[in-house]
Amino acid sequence: MHHDTPHWTPSPANSAKPEHSPPGADPDQPAQLRRILRLFRPYRGRLALVGLLVAASALVSVASPFLLREILDTAIPERRTGLLSLLALGMIGAAVVTSVFGVLQTLISTTVGQRVMHDLRTAVYDRLQRMPLAFFTRTRTGEVQSRIANDIGGMQATVTSTATSLVSNLTSVVATVVAMLALDWRLTVVSLLLLPLFVWISRRVGRERKRITSQRQKQMAAMSAMVTESLSVSGILLGRTMGRSDSLTRDFARESERLVGLEVRSSMAGRWRMSTIGIVMAAMPALIYWAAGMVLDSGGPSVSLGTLVAFVSLQQGLFRPAVSLLSTGVDIQTSLALFQRIFEYLDLPIDITEPAEPVRLKKVRGEVRFDRVDFTYANEPSTNGSSANEASAQGSSAKGSKLTLSGIDLTVPAGDSLAVVGPTGSGKTTLSYLVPRLYDVTGGRILIDGVDVRDLDFDTLSRAVGVVSQETYLFHASVADNLRFAKPEATDEELVAAARAAQIHDHIASLPEGYDTLVGERGYRFSGGEKQRLAIARTILRDPPVLILDEATSALDTRTEHAVQQAIDTLSAGRTTITIAHRLSTVRDADQIVVLDGGRIAERGSHDELLARGGRYAALVRRDESLAPVAPAG
């Protein structure tokens, strides 16, 4: 892992934020709402059905107060038991129908909401899969995980219930207001006087909660990043060997304490204002009874008991959906902060894209040509306000407009081997990253079989070029699953053949569970050399015509290196091989050796030719030999 700072404490500067969306920027809210609504467009048929169920349910529920009025004003006073029974059954039936419709609309709306959540998660994951390496070198893994888990998870309740809540409550409010006007327009006016106040209160609360939610999610992302780093295998090893376990615990407690304050503020934001609405709601029936009495006392027309009770029932039925609508507005304001963070990732520019009409090669011979290739990391966008570039991961630094690679002209015929050597920071690894398009060239072209790699479709390119990196990565899965990541349909016999070629089969076979053995997180159940050989076996299984070995034997001891080098030599036969070498003993037999210095080709030729020249390569060989470990006796 590469870190810019020696400590683990997260800070806002570590959070990934696109350059085009500066901190504190509040995007156009109507545009953002339209974008959110577009997420539901594929499910508009199901949402229309939910709307019908909601409207039907609201209309049925509004009928109950009218039935109640008839019971109180007609059926009971006139002792009409038959009518009383029908009206009572009607009220019960309305309740049953409303409940059934409610269950159905909840099922459909929740399904739609979860599908939208799935679409969002998948879209974010897909976008991140296509981001350049530079994005991941400047973004903490925990931050990425937090966007997918915490931010999208935080939207779940709103997304799954908002559509239903809006339609249901809006329909209920309209139907109830119409019914109240039909009963008594004067009492309706009294009931609606305070609604503007409620709207104002809810908007204030919504803005406050949105601001706090944004702060809370950033803090959760910082905590997630800290947990991911410090509780990984590497983090635990570093923390314990450096004696920092207690310090890390204190750092985590401090971050957690900040989250406590934000969570409390989030829960209490506007709580007193919203409680005011509850108090007014509770007081409204008394206000209606008082208003009816005052009208009667002033000589106005009397209101029947049934009408009064039915009206109060409707009024309560009005305020519940009205307040719910206001709460939905608050929830939407809160969710806008989460949507904004997700849209930031969805809006990240993808630098490496497939052409509109990509070239597909049925058979790749493997000729690789570098045609006046320039490359710089200086133009990489930064997400955290600092100059972020991949060069630091390779010991080089791009400052200003300095080119990491300049004027590289090379041709590697199909089946030939090229070795790239040079001092640390000379651009060796960068050169290897350009062939499989982990980065795109800044100038010039890289061609495979005469086709610019930028014109190839991704599938052809991934099948054509295999990479064994100096940093081996294994999934927390079985040995077989890790190998089959290169070729999912591979048979057990193919796994064994690849493992034998990489000189790792005997070790795997000696394990109690053989190829079903879990490798552990990042392969920590295996030694560095064993992990490297598993990675080589995985590439062998992929069987690419172009093979890139980026310090592929750097983690191996001398004896294992010799065995694996034999396997690589066998694998390289008939393949184009580009070897990025630190140990020069591994590249003596290469068809062509190139010495890079400062991003330029300083020398090229065979091992013997370069030695005879007595230049940079000869100096590197002398240094390499002087640093070579002495083999133990016996």
Side-chain angles (χ1 to χ4, degrees):
M1 296 186 299
H2 305 278
H3 298 280
D4 294 328
T5 54
H7 59 84
W8 296 75
T9 306
S11 65
N14 289 326
S15 299
K17 194 171 184 65
E19 192 175 28
H20 60 275
S21 181
D26 191 13
D28 182 24
Q29 198 169 99
Q32 192 172 0
L33 287 172
R34 287 194 297 271
R35 187 172 183 180
I36 293 170
L37 290 175
R38 283 199 297 271
L39 297 173
F40 292 87
R41 188 176 296 169
Y43 310 101
R44 52 184 176 270
R46 280 185 256 187
L47 289 175
L49 178 58
V50 170
L52 291 175
L53 288 172
V54 166
S57 177
L59 292 174
V60 171
S61 63
V62 166
S64 291
F66 288 91
L67 297 175
L68 177 61
R69 182 182 66 172
E70 292 304 310
I71 289 175
L72 294 176
D73 286 350
T74 305
I76 292 178
E78 298 178 8
R79 300 184 179 182
R80 296 169 58 180
T81 55
L83 178 60
L84 178 62
S85 299
L86 288 174
L87 293 171
L89 285 173
M91 292 184 68
I92 295 172
V96 171
V97 170
T98 301
S99 297
V100 171
F101 284 177
V103 171
L104 291 176
Q105 71 191 36
T106 300
L107 172 63
I108 299 173
S109 62
T110 301
T111 301
V112 169
Q114 289 299 330
R115 297 305 305 177
V116 170
M117 300 284 290
H118 162 74
D119 294 343
L120 269 178
R121 282 193 297 265
T122 304
V124 171
Y125 187 85
D126 177 66
R127 174 65 59 147
L128 292 173
Q129 280 287 341
R130 293 184 288 147
M131 292 303 296
L133 273 183
F135 171 81
F136 297 98
T137 63
R138 64 179 180 252
T139 306
R140 303 172 81 178
T141 303
E143 165 73 19
V144 175
Q145 293 175 346
S146 179
R147 298 274 176 133
I148 295 176
N150 295 335
D151 294 351
I152 295 181
M155 295 185 300
Q156 180 167 324
T158 302
V159 170
T160 54
S161 63
T162 296
T164 303
S165 180
L166 282 174
V167 178
S168 175
N169 293 317
L170 189 59
T171 305
S172 295
V173 166
V174 172
T176 303
V177 169
V178 171
M180 289 170 65
L181 288 170
L183 283 174
D184 194 296
W185 68 269
R186 294 159 301 176
L187 296 179
T188 303
V189 171
V190 173
S191 299
L192 298 179
L193 284 176
L194 294 175
L195 274 182
L197 173 64
F198 295 168
V199 172
W200 179 80
I201 290 174
S202 67
R203 287 178 63 85
R204 289 285 301 273
V205 172
R207 285 194 294 268
E208 185 176 354
R209 287 190 183 174
K210 179 184 177 182
R211 178 175 51 81
I212 295 174
T213 297
S214 181
Q215 296 174 0
R216 182 186 64 185
Q217 293 306 116
K218 288 179 182 178
Q219 184 62 28
M220 290 178 69
M223 281 186 59
S224 179
M226 185 178 186
V227 168
T228 301
E229 293 178 346
S230 61
L231 293 185
S232 65
V233 174
S234 299
I236 290 294
L237 286 174
L238 182 62
R240 290 183 180 176
T241 56
M242 294 290 179
R244 295 295 304 277
S245 296
D246 291 342
S247 174
L248 288 172
T249 301
R250 288 193 297 272
D251 289 343
F252 180 81
R254 185 163 53 250
E255 296 299 321
S256 180
E257 185 69 27
R258 292 174 185 166
L259 185 61
V260 168
L262 288 171
E263 290 285 6
V264 171
R265 286 173 58 196
S266 176
S267 297
M268 293 305 297
R271 187 67 64 181
W272 287 109
R273 296 191 188 101
M274 296 303 285
S275 66
T276 303
I277 297 177
I279 294 171
V280 173
M281 280 183 58
M284 282 306 292
L287 180 62
I288 292 300
Y289 294 140
W290 174 83
M294 293 301 293
V295 169
L296 182 62
D297 185 64
S298 62
S302 61
V303 180
S304 70
L305 177 62
T307 298
L308 196 57
V309 172
F311 190 90
V312 170
S313 176
L314 280 172
Q315 185 193 60
Q316 294 300 298
L318 168 68
F319 280 116
R320 274 193 297 271
V323 172
S324 183
L325 270 178
L326 299 177
S327 298
T328 299
V330 172
D331 292 339
I332 290 175
Q333 287 284 329
T334 302
S335 293
L336 284 177
L338 304 179
F339 273 109
Q340 182 177 335
R341 286 170 58 83
I342 295 302
F343 289 155
E344 283 175 1
Y345 267 20
L346 292 176
D347 292 339
L348 286 171
I350 298 175
D351 299 329
I352 299 177
T353 58
E354 197 172 56
E357 297 182 1
V359 177
R360 295 176 175 85
L361 299 178
K362 292 183 178 179
K363 184 174 179 59
V364 177
R365 292 183 296 107
E367 182 192 73
V368 178
R369 183 156 66 94
F370 296 81
D371 180 18
R372 301 189 305 276
V373 168
D374 295 337
F375 180 77
T376 178
Y377 293 103
N379 294 327
E380 293 289 353
S382 173
T383 58
N384 58 10
S386 62
S387 58
N389 58 67
E390 173 65 4
S392 60
Q394 303 150 37
S396 62
S397 174
K399 296 180 180 180
S401 59
K402 180 181 176 182
L403 292 175
T404 305
L405 294 172
S406 177
I408 304 297
D409 265 311
L410 274 174
T411 298
V412 188
D416 274 17
S417 58
L418 167 71
V420 183
V421 301
T424 299
S426 59
K428 302 187 300 295
T429 297
T430 299
L431 188 72
S432 72
Y433 281 174
L434 297 178
V435 179
R437 285 195 75 193
L438 298 179
Y439 291 94
D440 268 342
V441 297
T442 306
R445 302 179 299 165
I446 295 178
L447 304 100
I448 294 179
D449 292 353
V451 181
D452 193 321
V453 294
R454 291 170 293 188
D455 295 331
L456 290 172
D457 77 305
F458 287 152
D459 185 58
T460 296
L461 188 59
S462 66
R463 283 188 289 105
V465 183
V467 180
V468 178
S469 174
Q470 58 184 322
E471 293 189 11
T472 302
Y473 187 85
L474 298 174
F475 294 103
H476 183 62
S478 69
V479 171
D481 288 339
N482 271 281
L483 294 179
R484 283 197 174 96
F485 189 75
K487 186 179 180 182
E489 72 279 7
T491 64
D492 291 344
E493 290 75 18
E494 289 175 311
L495 296 187
V496 171
R500 285 188 187 280
Q503 305 288 321
I504 192 65
H505 169 71
D506 291 341
H507 176 70
I508 297 173
S510 69
L511 299 173
E513 297 179 46
Y515 283 80
D516 292 326
T517 301
L518 284 176
V519 302
E521 184 186 357
R522 297 183 63 86
Y524 270 94
R525 293 184 65 178
F526 290 79
S527 69
E530 289 162 356
K531 287 191 294 183
Q532 199 73 295
R533 282 180 282 168
L534 282 173
I536 292 171
R538 186 166 57 191
T539 304
I540 291 172
L541 197 63
R542 184 75 173 169
D543 195 23
V546 178
L547 187 64
I548 294 177
L549 304 172
D550 181 10
E551 309 278 12
T553 60
S554 62
L556 308 181
D557 56 65
T558 305
R559 180 178 299 176
T560 305
E561 178 184 352
H562 178 70
V564 173
Q565 192 61 48
Q566 287 183 321
I568 289 175
D569 292 341
T570 302
L571 170 66
S572 301
R575 288 182 172 81
T576 306
T577 306
I578 299 176
T579 303
I580 309 301
H582 178 69
R583 296 181 184 177
L584 301 187
S585 60
T586 64
V587 301
R588 294 173 184 267
D589 297 327
D591 296 312
Q592 182 180 185
I593 298 174
V594 167
V595 181
L596 287 183
D597 191 3
R600 296 178 178 273
I601 296 178
E603 293 180 326
R604 72 175 79 198
S606 68
H607 172 74
D608 293 335
E609 291 170 347
L610 293 175
L611 271 185
R613 249 177 243 170
R616 287 182 173 85
Y617 181 76
L620 289 172
V621 170
R622 287 194 296 271
R623 188 202 64 182
D624 200 42
E625 289 175 345
S626 68
L627 296 176
V630 179

